[in-house]
Structures are given as structure tokens and as C-alpha cells.
Amino acid sequence: MHNTIKEENQVSPSFLFFLVHSTQIGVGILGFQRLIIKGAGYEAWISIILAAISVCILLAMVFNILIRENSDIVDIHRLYFGKYLGGAFTLAASAYYFIFALTIYRTYVEILQIWMFPQLETWIVSLVYLPIIYYTVSGGFRVITGIAFFGVMLPLPLVFALLYPLKYGHLNNLFPLFDHTIWEFLISTKMMTFENLGFESVLFFYPFIKNGATSQKWGQLGILFSAFLYLCTALVSFAYFSQGQLMHTIWPTLTMAKIIEIPFLQRFEYILISLWLLVVLPTIAVSVWCTIRGFSKTFNKPPTIFLIFVLIALLGFSIFFDDRETIDQLNTRLSMTGFYFIYGYIPFLFLYSLIRAKIKQKKAQKEEREPTLS
């Protein structure tokens, strides 16, 4: 296959760092702590490292497939499985990215409702952000990449401000070390699935990266930087909260932000939540873009039609998931689906690609050895 994307529509390899990192942070960093302690307790920070290592391996598998075929997942599905079965796989992947976008979108709207605008109806808060998503996605992949860049750089100082709660923390909470079983560490590692999702979107936008074969290192650095932020946030949270408190705190990161004192600002968490739109916007935009690209290439229709349909669906489903229980179920379903996608389908596709390449190689060698008829 050949990359048919024009160079003016591509971005430099280094921007893969921002694309991968921005899709992994989202809303997960605001409340992941209470989930990962269900397995290894305060030692769950070790599971963050284990999860990051596994995701780095998975990204290497993804690049192995993409470099071999030099195309996106839509064309690879068609090449590997044929027009109809391959199209079905692409539509399934597109539906997955829609659920991804919906989960991040609805969870952020919930945070706004709970922490800032408790009296506003869901549809009002949801409707306000749809034009922003439309403008970002309709601008093309380069615009999305620019938003991802600013979504990483601008809020970064706010993330490091969360080290402030260490002033009131108890570091002895982190000890003793290695006091849990391997199975408990694996449970916590699995609980990190939601937070690590997003890197797999490179399956769709790989052709939009200049010299994509050389960009893997930037993607790996993006994963490691995400893991570093999760690790720092987890360690601060474990030191600040007792395990009982953490189990019953839905948004530990925002709860810690409430104690940050600035002379001219009384509610620091309001600034954090407001600027966090820049963090979640790239995640939503990339997921929506992957969704409409999958549908557009499968049905050979203009992407604008699918963009409008997806945005209407986001609004409709965000109204449908109208309480904490259903939103929590949505997050759980995405985590479970994402787990099977990244730890099941990606290794399967990798092995299928390797076997297919070996068969083609042996067939070519056999044809070379056969004497030509004169």
C-alpha cells in the first residue's frame, strides 16, 4: 500500500507525542485513584508502571503493522479480511471510538454540573461545547493536532500544582512495599485500562504523520509522560487520603485541588475544571475524527455528513446518561471494551500480520526458485 495523504495535510513526527499523551489524560486523571486501589491498595502505583510497560509493547505492535502496510486501519482491514468482513471490523472500531468520545464528553459535562453549575440541565451544558468540537474536527487533522499541543502545554503548570497537598500528606501510607500478591497487582493494572486508552487511535491517523515509520519514539515518550503524571498524582493522593477516604471519593484529584490556597483566588478547582476543557477536547476531537473517518471511508461518503450525525448522537446520548450510576456504567463498559480491544484485538492483528507476511515471503521465495519455462 501507499500513503495517499498530501504532505500539506500531514504533521511532523514529534507531534505524535502530544497526540498520544493528550488522548490518554482526559478525565481519567481526575478520579482513577479510587479504582486502582481495589487490587493492590496503596501499592497500586507499581501497577501504573506495569500498565505503561504493557502499553508501550502494544504501541510497538501497532507500529509494526502500520509500517508494514503503510496505511491506516481501514485499508488494512480491507486488505486482511476482504471488503465486507473488513468493513464490519472498521465499523466496529468506529463505534468503539464513538463510545470513547461519548464517555469523555459526558463525564466532563458531569464534572461541570457537579462542581460548577449544579442547577443547569444536562442538555444546556452539553450543547454549549458541541460547536467547539465541530469547529475543531471540521478544521481537519492539523487543527486537532494544534489543539492537542495546547491541551498539553497550557494546563501543565496546573497539574504540577497538585503537588501542594503533599504538605498535608503522610508518606508512611506508601509502606510497606511488595505486600500484595501478583494477582492483586494485575487487578490494579487492569483498572488502569481506561486511563491508558487513546494511543490506539494512531491506527487511524498514522498516514497523517510525516515519515510515520520514524515517529514511534515520540508515541512511546507520550505514553511514558502520561504514566509519569498518573504516577505523581497517585503518590500524592495515597499520601493525602486514607484508604477508606479514597474508596469513597469520586474525584480525588479535584478534592485535593480544593485545598490549594492562592491569595487572589479562593476556589482553585474552578480554574482547574475550566482549563481542563483544553485537556479533554483533544481526546474527544481525535475520537470523533476516528469515528467519522471510519464511516466515511467505509461508505465512501463526505465526512461532514457523519460529523453532524455524530455530534447529534453525542448530545442525545449525553442526555440519556443522566445520573452518576449510568455514567459510571458507561465508564466501566468503555474500560472493558477498551481492554479487549488493546489487549486482545491488537495482538491478534499483530500475529495475523506477521503470519501473513511470512506466508507471502515464502511464496515469493518459492516462485523465485521455480525454473522459468522457455
Side-chain angles (χ1 to χ4, degrees):
M1 292 185 182
H2 298 284
N3 193 343
T4 58
I5 304 300
K6 296 180 180 179
E7 187 174 346
E8 58 264 28
N9 295 325
Q10 294 179 318
V11 298
S12 299
S14 59
F15 281 103
L16 186 61
F17 170 87
F18 300 99
L19 288 165
V20 169
H21 173 66
S22 63
T23 54
Q24 285 191 306
I25 293 299
V27 295
I29 199 171
L30 302 179
F32 74 102
Q33 302 95 318
R34 70 181 178 91
L35 297 175
I36 64 173
I37 65 169
K38 292 180 180 179
Y42 280 145
E43 288 189 292
W45 62 269
I46 298 175
S47 295
I48 296 175
I49 299 174
L50 295 177
I53 293 172
S54 68
V55 171
C56 285
I57 295 172
L58 290 171
L59 183 64
M61 292 182 182
V62 167
F63 266 90
N64 184 279
I65 300 167
L66 295 172
I67 292 172
R68 180 177 292 112
E69 307 302 344
N70 194 29
S71 189
D72 62 15
I73 191 65
V74 180
D75 293 331
I76 291 173
H77 277 158
R78 190 180 295 117
L79 176 67
Y80 286 2
F81 307 112
K83 179 179 179 181
Y84 296 106
L85 184 58
F89 281 140
T90 298
L91 293 179
S94 300
Y96 161 73
Y97 281 105
F98 172 76
I99 297 173
F100 195 175
L102 172 64
T103 304
I104 304 300
Y105 178 67
R106 184 62 185 94
T107 303
Y108 182 68
V109 169
E110 182 199 22
I111 293 172
L112 288 172
Q113 287 179 291
I114 292 175
W115 289 81
M116 297 182 69
F117 307 110
Q119 303 301 322
L120 282 182
E121 296 289 338
T122 300
W123 70 270
I124 297 177
V125 183
S126 301
L127 194 60
V128 167
Y129 290 103
L130 286 182
I132 301 175
I133 300 172
Y134 176 83
Y135 172 79
T136 303
V137 178
S138 62
F141 188 75
R142 289 174 65 90
V143 172
I144 294 174
T145 304
I147 295 295
F149 173 80
F150 288 110
V152 173
M153 299 304 295
L154 294 182
L156 195 57
L158 297 179
V159 176
F160 288 106
L162 294 176
L163 296 175
Y164 180 85
L166 275 179
K167 179 180 178 181
Y168 305 100
H170 302 279
L171 294 180
N172 58 329
N173 287 350
L174 304 176
F175 299 97
L177 294 177
F178 305 108
D179 197 36
H180 292 80
T181 64
I182 294 176
W183 178 250
E184 288 172 324
F185 281 118
L186 291 178
I187 291 174
S188 292
T189 302
K190 183 179 178 182
M191 289 295 179
M192 278 296 297
T193 299
F194 179 85
E195 286 68 36
N196 284 317
L197 295 178
F199 75 94
E200 70 279 11
S201 55
V202 72
L203 286 165
F204 276 87
F205 62 69
Y206 175 80
F208 289 82
I209 307 295
K210 291 180 183 177
N211 304 317
T214 65
S215 64
Q216 181 181 170
K217 62 182 180 182
W218 295 105
Q220 299 285 5
L221 288 174
I223 291 172
L224 294 177
F225 187 56
S226 299
F228 171 74
L229 292 185
Y230 278 118
L231 183 61
C232 291
T233 307
L235 290 174
V236 174
S237 302
F238 295 164
Y240 182 77
F241 292 101
S242 70
Q243 198 158 324
Q245 288 175 320
L246 204 54
M247 287 289 290
H248 296 91
T249 304
I250 298 176
W251 306 109
T253 304
L254 294 178
T255 302
M256 289 192 299
K258 290 177 65 175
I259 71 166
I260 297 177
E261 298 176 353
I262 299 177
F264 57 88
L265 184 64
Q266 194 171 21
R267 301 298 297 270
F268 178 80
E269 71 272 18
Y270 283 7
I271 300 297
L272 180 65
I273 293 170
S274 300
L275 286 180
W276 215 253
L277 173 64
L278 290 174
V279 178
V280 301
L281 183 57
T283 309
I284 299 171
V286 169
S287 300
V288 170
W289 185 88
C290 291
T291 302
I292 64 174
R293 181 164 177 82
F295 282 114
S296 177
K297 290 191 69 174
T298 300
F299 296 109
N300 196 25
K301 299 290 183 181
T304 306
I305 299 174
F306 297 104
L307 174 58
I308 295 173
F309 175 78
V310 167
L311 294 181
I312 294 174
L314 281 178
L315 178 61
F317 279 108
S318 66
I319 297 172
F320 175 78
F321 295 98
D322 60 350
D323 56 49
R324 171 96 283 270
E325 184 179 353
T326 55
I327 296 171
D328 191 53
Q329 289 176 356
L330 180 63
N331 280 263
T332 302
R333 295 289 176 83
L334 173 64
S335 180
M336 182 176 63
T337 305
F339 178 82
Y340 290 121
F341 185 85
I342 64 174
Y343 289 105
Y345 186 65
I346 288 178
F348 162 75
L349 202 63
F350 171 72
L351 291 175
Y352 187 95
S353 177
L354 281 181
I355 294 172
R356 184 177 180 274
K358 290 290 184 182
I359 292 174
K360 286 183 64 178
Q361 183 180 12
K362 288 182 179 180
K363 185 178 179 181
Q365 291 175 348
K366 182 179 179 181
E367 290 177 351
E368 289 179 359
R369 289 196 298 266
E370 288 181 351
T372 57
L373 298 177
S374 56

